[in-house]
Amino acid sequence: MHYATLKTQYAQWLQTLGFSAHSVYGYPNMLHYFFNYLFDNGIFSIAHLNSTHVTNYFNYLQNRPNKRRNGALSTAHLNKSFDAIDKFLEFLQHHGSLNSPQPTQYRIIDTDSAQRIKVLTKQDITILYKGVENMFTHMSLNSIMPRRALATLLLDLCYGCGLRKSEAYYLQVTDVDLDKCMLFVRQAKGYKDRHVPMSAAITQRIKLFIYQYRKTFKANHNRLWPYSLVAMPDYFNLLRRDSGLQAPATLHTLRHSIATHLLQNGMSVEQIAKFLGHSTLDSTQVYTHLLQHNDN
């Protein structure tokens, strides 16, 4: 009953923090297996929990055979279990259990996934933004400025706001809240809406684009991006060429890059997942593995 009550309170806490329904359901279930392990090893009260018990459980999971198929538990499953336990330790401390173990931050590095992801450095991003000034130099000033503003818009949406290419393309002018510095992304991946914050600088640039430059493209629709979807990577490749960026990159690389840079700046995985619109932490956790892989 003691552990059952904690499991219920933990789920309610996750829900209060705004975790996805998937995590609110899945994390307590993973905690259930942890409680079973503690009970089987004679730990009948959470007050007796220490860091050795947590470490031993993590080792147990990594050596335990998979009951559904041959082999061990997958890296994704293990990391999700470790994250669920870490959040539970956070939960205990949040509720005044000062003697409970600290979250471990232990994760298994998924080197295959981490190596497949390519990110740009902050210096590379600076090169791209500065490279806008080298675009369309053969045109008249009246033609140059709107097109450069459009190139900057692409960077602001896909890097500064972390949007997927399709999200940036379908974004409506009416989805931009300049007063609140927010974008409303409709029916994103997984058919979920979300709000994405904009920095003050990005808000001002998008405001200028809407009120001064967008009309020059004579778009017959209400999307913020005036051209076709296929024009987006073409525009980005033109920017890459004119900026002199040597690193290979696509529009999705910008999304990977902002996630990595936010993590480097100290933003939590949960906040980054919300920012990117990930339905589970599995997708976001790979950036942690990426940083660990690069550090090694």
Side-chain angles (χ1 to χ4, degrees), residues 121-132 155 159 243 245:
T121 65
K122 294 177 183 179
Q123 184 179 7
D124 290 333
I125 297 298
T126 300
I127 289 172
L128 285 173
Y129 270 102
K130 289 185 175 179
V132 172
L155 290 175
Y159 173 76
S243 69
L245 180 70

Side-chain angles (χ1 to χ4, degrees), residues 110-212:
D110 189 348
T111 54
D112 291 340
S113 297
Q115 288 175 343
R116 284 196 297 269
I117 291 180
K118 304 300 180 185
V119 300
L120 298 176
T121 65
K122 294 177 183 179
Q123 184 179 7
D124 290 333
I125 297 298
T126 300
I127 289 172
L128 285 173
Y129 270 102
K130 289 185 175 179
V132 172
E133 299 174 2
N134 300 326
M135 300 180 73
F136 310 109
T137 53
H138 61 287
M139 294 184 176
S140 66
L141 187 61
N142 288 340
S143 298
I144 288 176
M145 298 309 292
R147 285 167 174 77
R148 287 181 178 174
L150 186 61
T152 302
L153 175 71
L154 198 55
L155 290 175
D156 284 341
L157 294 179
C158 295
Y159 173 76
C161 298
L163 301 191
R164 301 175 178 92
K165 179 177 68 175
S166 59
E167 293 171 349
Y169 173 70
Y170 286 110
L171 192 71
Q172 304 287 303
V173 174
T174 52
D175 293 332
V176 181
D177 191 329
L178 296 170
D179 293 329
K180 295 181 180 179
C181 298
M182 299 286 286
L183 299 178
F184 181 48
V185 181
R186 302 172 185 272
Q187 295 290 294
K189 190 174 181 180
Y191 304 101
K192 292 184 177 180
D193 299 338
R194 76 180 188 278
H195 287 89
V196 178
M198 299 183 289
S199 68
I202 288 177
T203 302
Q204 287 303 312
R205 287 196 293 263
I206 291 182
K207 180 178 180 179
L208 184 64
F209 179 80
I210 290 174
Y211 290 111
Q212 184 169 336

Side-chain angles (χ1 to χ4, degrees), residues 9-281:
Q9 292 173 343
Y10 175 55
Q12 292 171 344
W13 182 71
L14 291 174
Q15 194 167 28
T16 301
L17 291 181
F19 277 68
S20 69
H22 187 277
S23 295
V24 171
Y25 172 79
Y27 278 25
N29 281 344
M30 292 186 168
L31 188 65
H32 175 81
Y33 294 112
F34 179 51
F35 287 161
N36 282 345
Y37 173 86
L38 293 177
F39 197 87
D40 290 343
N41 284 273
I43 310 300
F44 304 120
S45 170
I46 207 67
H48 299 145
L49 178 68
N50 60 44
S51 58
T52 301
H53 299 137
V54 177
T55 301
N56 289 344
Y57 179 66
F58 285 5
N59 290 334
Y60 161 75
L61 286 181
Q62 291 176 81
N63 291 288
R64 200 205 84 181
N66 193 315
K67 296 179 180 179
R68 295 184 179 180
R69 56 175 175 77
N70 294 330
L73 296 172
S74 69
T75 298
H77 181 88
L78 288 170
N79 283 328
K80 190 181 295 184
S81 298
F82 301 155
D83 196 57
I85 303 305
D86 268 0
K87 295 310 294 183
F88 175 66
L89 298 179
E90 238 180 85
F91 160 80
L92 291 177
Q93 294 182 351
H94 180 80
H95 287 78
S97 181
L98 302 179
N99 294 324
S100 62
Q102 293 290 326
T104 67
Q105 303 299 323
Y106 175 74
R107 304 293 183 271
I108 299 173
I109 300 173
D110 189 348
T111 54
D112 291 340
S113 297
Q115 288 175 343
R116 284 196 297 269
I117 291 180
K118 304 300 180 185
V119 300
L120 298 176
T121 65
K122 294 177 183 179
Q123 184 179 7
D124 290 333
I125 297 298
T126 300
I127 289 172
L128 285 173
Y129 270 102
K130 289 185 175 179
V132 172
E133 299 174 2
N134 300 326
M135 300 180 73
F136 310 109
T137 53
H138 61 287
M139 294 184 176
S140 66
L141 187 61
N142 288 340
S143 298
I144 288 176
M145 298 309 292
R147 285 167 174 77
R148 287 181 178 174
L150 186 61
T152 302
L153 175 71
L154 198 55
L155 290 175
D156 284 341
L157 294 179
C158 295
Y159 173 76
C161 298
L163 301 191
R164 301 175 178 92
K165 179 177 68 175
S166 59
E167 293 171 349
Y169 173 70
Y170 286 110
L171 192 71
Q172 304 287 303
V173 174
T174 52
D175 293 332
V176 181
D177 191 329
L178 296 170
D179 293 329
K180 295 181 180 179
C181 298
M182 299 286 286
L183 299 178
F184 181 48
V185 181
R186 302 172 185 272
Q187 295 290 294
K189 190 174 181 180
Y191 304 101
K192 292 184 177 180
D193 299 338
R194 76 180 188 278
H195 287 89
V196 178
M198 299 183 289
S199 68
I202 288 177
T203 302
Q204 287 303 312
R205 287 196 293 263
I206 291 182
K207 180 178 180 179
L208 184 64
F209 179 80
I210 290 174
Y211 290 111
Q212 184 169 336
Y213 296 126
R214 186 179 177 277
K215 59 188 176 185
T216 65
F217 297 100
K218 299 179 180 178
N220 60 354
H221 53 74
N222 195 42
R223 292 192 304 275
L224 186 61
W225 176 261
Y227 290 148
S228 67
L229 179 63
V230 294
M232 298 181 87
D234 292 340
Y235 228 80
F236 179 65
N237 288 333
L238 184 63
L239 170 57
R240 282 184 54 230
R241 185 198 70 185
D242 290 350
S243 69
L245 180 70
Q246 297 299 312
T250 65
L251 286 173
H252 207 70
T253 306
L254 298 178
R255 179 173 158 88
H256 288 319
S257 301
I258 187 61
T260 305
H261 297 163
L262 290 174
L263 194 61
Q264 288 172 328
N265 290 343
M267 183 180 282
S268 71
V269 172
E270 291 81 11
Q271 289 173 310
I272 295 173
K274 200 168 184 179
F275 177 73
L276 296 177
H278 288 162
S279 57
T280 70
L281 290 181

